[in-house]
Amino acid sequence: MCGIVGYIGEQEACQILVDGLKKLEYRGYDSAGVALLNENGIDVRKSVGKLKALECALENCVPRGHLGIGHTRWATHGRPSDENAHPHSDCTGKLTVVHNGIIENYMALKERLVSEGHEFKSETDTEVAAHLVESYYNGDLAEAVRKAARDMEGSFALVIIATDEPDKIVAARRHSPLVIGLGKGENYLASDVAAFLKHTRKVLFADDDTLAVITRDGVTLTDLNGNVVEKAAQTIEWDAAMAERGGYEHFMLKEIHEQPRALRETMRGRLAPDKDFIELPGINLTEDEIKKIDRIIMIACGTAYHASMAGKYAIEQLCRIPVEIDVASELRYRDPIVDDRTLGIVISQSGETLDTVVGLREVKEKGAKIVAITNVVGSMAARESDGVLYTYAGPEIAVASTKAYTTQLMVLYLIAMYFAQVRGTISPQRAAELRQALWDLPQLAEVILNDYQSVIAAADRYYCFNGFLYMARGINLASALEGALKIKEISYMHAEGYAAGEMKHGPIAMIDPTFVTVAVTVQSKTYDKMLGNIREVKARAGEVIAIAYNGDTGIKDYADRVIYIPQTEEIFSPALVAIPLQLMAYFVAHNRGPAIDQPRNLAKTVTVE
Ligand code: M6R
């Protein structure tokens, strides 16, 4: 996720901006830049790579100015490069912007602006904002930004400076974070307070669709129609490390909580309540090509492999295309059957997992088209695939994958529904029901995250047990495996995920009073069978936690504890079931004490075979 900083005041701004950007490094980035306003105009410096590269570029000639903006970029549109790095300017060079978020309708806006004669230098959606503001600018920067913001769909924290109004910074936001730091005779702004905490703890959190005009001496907030908005300042008590984690004790917990936002970002521009179709422009397959596909092979490792398990169910169910799933490290040794009617889907948060990339090459060489689902623009998987569908989860810092998993599920659901739409394998009415259910998913995730006392209570009871067994059936087998993986990697406890029907073929031997079984009971077709499995565990003195739908009061008669989640369509349920399981792993690990964000022996990205 991009990081934004801004400063206006008495001091030279450049070092303040660079220091602020350093505090935002944890957000992940691939390039950085600053823009300083002085009597000669706006001095923009930017470079691809880490902040060190920017610092080198600034070394011999530090840009001067008491007003400036800075940015670290996490690429979403256009590869990481000097040209795509922020800040971006309009045609005249008199307006300069930095931006965090995704402007969904940037292509349409860009076409309009190009037809009006604007010239673009980058591939970013952000540059559209610079030219859009230019097209409205008539000596009143705030009004031009308000008009531009009204035209923009999607998410943005937009910060802009203008040579003709050298006494102010103008900022606007919708769905992307932006906080204003209040000093004496100087003011700051940033994506989060970590950037300016050493200067001030007094802050204003701007609401969605708010515009801020920031001068040395004050801040005026308005809505996008220009009506003044009153907002009380708050005092931040967090220390610097806590501020980076948004007040959460660990990145993992922060990232678990970011899932509703990440899911929404991943849907944006692809699914909308007022559209009766799904759009997946990045997939780069014609309708004829989609109709020709007779087999899909999914390639992934770890958590991404679990996403592929759920994806297989969704695609086979909705599109009736056979799907094979492979742990990437095994794929090439089985000499898979692939031809030009095969579609390879590669799933990788980092896009750099070597086994996955090697699997991609294997399937591609054999003649398949490849679509990558990845979180990192310009990653190897993205570069080597024919089409790319990004998960807009933002950087995932904790080693244990959480928001990457649920956003991978989201993309797989979108693919399943898109293919069903193109191939006509579900009725329009069913398609509409599914679109609505998918649209509602982030809000249901929010419901879970608003109250998870039952998960904390379960973790408090079971963290000192000998082991966890996760059992489920159908599409939630993926959830069972993912729940077990989460526990293993951060709490180092023995945990297994099993198809509940397999219990009697071995794992039930492990059940005793020190072993807890987590049973996912949200599937209607296999509900009674799951109750049977729970009974079998209870008969052997094992304890059971059920993950059940709200309203299932009967389950209390079977399980020792119940964790309720809201109802959704069965194929989408893994995206909700994942959340209490992630929280369970987090709180179990928290009770046991290991380093949650960086568990022993693990790397975030495995770049060796
Ligand atoms: O970057 P990738 O999605 O390719 O990574 C794959 C696995 O290494 C990853 O999902 C791993 O299993 C997670 N740390 C699990 O939480």
Side-chain angles (χ1 to χ4, degrees), residues 301-304 347-353 356 399-401 408 482 485-486 489 603-606:
C301 295
T303 289
I347 310 170
S348 173
Q349 186 282 130
S350 60
E352 300 286 341
T353 299
T356 304
V399 166
S401 202
Q408 284 162 357
E482 177 58 8
L485 177 63
K486 288 286 92 86
E489 66 180 332
K604 182 70 186 158
T605 305
V606 182

Side-chain angles (χ1 to χ4, degrees), residues 425-555:
T425 45
I426 54 173
S427 69
Q429 193 201 335
R430 183 72 189 125
E433 286 165 9
L434 288 170
R435 282 196 306 273
Q436 184 60 51
L438 199 54
W439 182 256
D440 291 340
L441 218 50
Q443 192 245 323
L444 300 182
E446 246 154 30
V447 170
I448 300 174
L449 289 164
N450 282 343
D451 178 11
Y452 48 78
Q453 272 313 312
S454 57
V455 182
I456 297 175
D460 287 348
R461 165 143 181 82
Y462 297 115
Y463 79 93
C464 48
F465 269 42
N466 281 346
F468 278 73
L469 193 135
Y470 290 74
M471 63 175 184
R473 288 173 183 259
I475 196 167
N476 277 299
L477 181 54
S479 310
L481 266 59
E482 177 58 8
L485 177 63
K486 288 286 92 86
I487 287 270
K488 277 187 274 206
E489 66 180 332
I490 61 168
S491 68
Y492 319 145
M493 281 178 87
H494 175 66
E496 302 203 29
Y498 253 95
E502 280 288 290
M503 289 292 287
K504 286 195 269 298
H505 300 282
I508 202 163
M510 293 188 302
I511 303 296
D512 70 16
T514 69
F515 214 79
V516 60
T517 299
V518 181
V520 183
T521 62
V522 297
Q523 250 127 267
S524 51
K525 253 197 269 171
T526 53
Y527 183 79
D528 289 337
K529 286 208 163 70
M530 283 302 300
L531 293 186
N533 293 122
I534 292 174
R535 258 193 241 110
E536 286 157 11
V537 173
K538 292 295 303 164
R540 285 153 186 86
E543 292 210 22
V544 176
I545 309 168
I547 310 289
Y549 276 147
N550 285 339
D552 180 359
T553 47
I555 193 77

Side-chain angles (χ1 to χ4, degrees), residues 14 204 234 380 592:
C14 190
L204 276 177
Q234 300 179 31
M380 248 195 296
R592 290 173 70 91

Side-chain angles (χ1 to χ4, degrees), residues 7 14 25 38-39 97 128 204 241 402 443 512 538 584:
Y7 172 79
C14 190
E25 279 193 293
N38 56 41
E39 63 284 359
V97 308
V128 166
L204 276 177
T402 54
Q443 192 245 323
D512 70 16
K538 292 295 303 164
M584 175 82 77

Side-chain angles (χ1 to χ4, degrees), residues 191-240:
S191 299
D192 71 54
V193 292
F196 54 67
L197 210 55
K198 75 172 187 191
H199 304 290
T200 179
R201 290 180 168 269
K202 214 168 144 201
V203 302
L204 276 177
F205 288 100
D207 292 327
D208 273 346
D209 287 321
T210 300
L211 179 127
V213 176
I214 302 153
T215 63
R216 285 180 183 206
D217 301 315
V219 177
T220 310
L221 299 178
T222 62
D223 64 19
L224 295 186
N225 294 316
N227 304 307
V228 173
V229 172
E230 297 296 341
K231 187 92 192 168
Q234 300 179 31
T235 303
I236 293 292
E237 307 293 350
W238 303 330
D239 62 23

Side-chain angles (χ1 to χ4, degrees), residues 288-512:
D288 277 348
E289 283 170 331
I290 292 171
K291 285 180 185 153
K292 248 183 52 191
I293 296 167
D294 67 2
R295 175 207 308 262
I296 293 177
I297 297 187
M298 293 196 197
I299 309 152
C301 295
T303 289
Y305 172 72
H306 299 152
S308 79
M309 288 177 72
K312 170 184 164 73
Y313 267 87
I315 293 178
E316 288 189 339
Q317 209 174 92
L318 299 185
C319 317
R320 308 312 295 161
I321 306 172
V323 181
E324 293 171 22
I325 52 175
D326 267 287
V327 170
S329 52
E330 289 295 323
L331 175 82
R332 69 175 144 150
Y333 302 109
R334 77 166 170 92
D335 193 12
I337 300 164
V338 177
D339 61 26
D340 63 354
R341 299 185 69 159
T342 309
L343 174 69
I345 299 184
V346 170
I347 310 170
S348 173
Q349 186 282 130
S350 60
E352 300 286 341
T353 299
L354 195 55
D355 279 323
T356 304
V357 173
V358 170
L360 178 165
R361 290 175 187 152
E362 170 84 14
V363 175
K364 192 172 178 178
E365 253 167 43
K366 289 185 164 189
K369 284 232 167 185
I370 306 288
V371 172
I373 300 175
T374 181
N375 199 31
V376 181
V377 174
S379 58
M380 248 195 296
R383 291 198 307 273
E384 297 193 20
S385 297
D386 301 290
V388 189
L389 296 172
Y390 289 108
T391 50
Y392 293 110
E396 197 178 55
I397 292 159
V399 166
S401 202
T402 54
K403 59 180 181 169
Y405 176 62
T406 45
T407 53
Q408 284 162 357
L409 290 176
M410 172 59 80
V411 173
L412 287 162
Y413 295 146
L414 288 165
I415 292 177
M417 288 163 63
Y418 182 64
F419 282 9
Q421 171 184 302
V422 172
R423 293 166 71 107
T425 45
I426 54 173
S427 69
Q429 193 201 335
R430 183 72 189 125
E433 286 165 9
L434 288 170
R435 282 196 306 273
Q436 184 60 51
L438 199 54
W439 182 256
D440 291 340
L441 218 50
Q443 192 245 323
L444 300 182
E446 246 154 30
V447 170
I448 300 174
L449 289 164
N450 282 343
D451 178 11
Y452 48 78
Q453 272 313 312
S454 57
V455 182
I456 297 175
D460 287 348
R461 165 143 181 82
Y462 297 115
Y463 79 93
C464 48
F465 269 42
N466 281 346
F468 278 73
L469 193 135
Y470 290 74
M471 63 175 184
R473 288 173 183 259
I475 196 167
N476 277 299
L477 181 54
S479 310
L481 266 59
E482 177 58 8
L485 177 63
K486 288 286 92 86
I487 287 270
K488 277 187 274 206
E489 66 180 332
I490 61 168
S491 68
Y492 319 145
M493 281 178 87
H494 175 66
E496 302 203 29
Y498 253 95
E502 280 288 290
M503 289 292 287
K504 286 195 269 298
H505 300 282
I508 202 163
M510 293 188 302
I511 303 296
D512 70 16

Side-chain angles (χ1 to χ4, degrees), residues 132-168:
L132 193 59
V133 175
E134 178 190 5
S135 74
Y136 286 126
Y137 189 57
N138 207 359
D140 182 346
L141 183 60
E143 187 49 25
V145 175
R146 270 193 288 267
K147 284 184 177 155
R150 291 202 295 261
D151 281 357
M152 292 191 304
E153 292 168 15
S155 56
F156 52 83
L158 191 68
V159 181
I160 184 155
I161 54 178
T163 48
D164 290 346
E165 298 182 49
D167 57 344
K168 65 180 71 137

Side-chain angles (χ1 to χ4, degrees), residues 48-114:
V48 71
K50 292 296 167 195
L51 276 169
K52 246 304 80 335
L54 177 67
E55 285 184 295
C56 286
L58 297 174
E59 213 167 50
N60 294 329
C61 173
V62 179
R64 286 178 307 99
H66 300 270
L67 180 165
I69 54 181
H71 191 269
T72 45
R73 174 174 189 251
W74 165 265
T76 57
H77 293 79
R79 76 213 139 82
S81 66
D82 284 351
E83 299 73 41
N84 289 335
H86 298 211
H88 290 285
S89 302
D90 69 335
C91 298
T92 64
K94 289 178 154 192
L95 299 171
T96 298
V97 308
V98 292
H99 161 239
N100 172 21
I102 298 168
I103 303 170
E104 270 171 36
N105 58 339
Y106 85 102
M107 279 308 291
L109 292 172
K110 189 168 177 174
E111 276 164 28
R112 181 178 114 198
L113 291 160
V114 167

